[in-house]
Amino acid sequence: MEIERIRSEIEHMRVQVGRQRKEILQLQRAAISTASAELLLLRMLAKIEGLCDERDRLKKEQDGPMKGRVLGGRSW
């Protein structure tokens, strides 16, 4: 299913973002310029945001008339 693929890609990207942040900290401690690493981090975060938007759109399309109902009861 498309939404599951997107969810796994989001999770994978979040792990990569964590690694990138750690790498930036190491570079900063070594007094090495982090400009290009920070730009890459921003692109990664933008991609995650786009994937989250796509996931939310697909989730909204998937939800049928029972959205938000508890066992077919009232909508909370």
Side-chain angles (χ1 to χ4, degrees), residues 19-60:
R19 289 180 183 152
Q20 185 69 15
R21 285 185 171 140
K22 288 178 187 176
E23 185 176 321
I24 289 171
L25 286 174
Q26 288 176 341
L27 291 171
Q28 288 172 338
R29 287 186 190 122
I32 298 173
S33 174
T34 59
S36 62
E38 289 173 358
L39 286 174
L40 175 60
L41 180 61
L42 289 175
R43 288 195 306 268
M44 291 167 76
L45 291 171
K47 178 165 181 155
I48 290 173
E49 188 174 323
L51 287 170
C52 288
D53 291 342
E54 179 70 10
R55 177 202 60 202
D56 293 344
R57 184 187 65 76
L58 288 172
K59 189 175 176 184
K60 188 180 281 189

Side-chain angles (χ1 to χ4, degrees), residues 64-76:
M66 296 300 286
K67 180 185 176 209
R69 302 218 177 225
V70 179
L71 298 177
R74 288 189 288 166
S75 176
W76 296 95

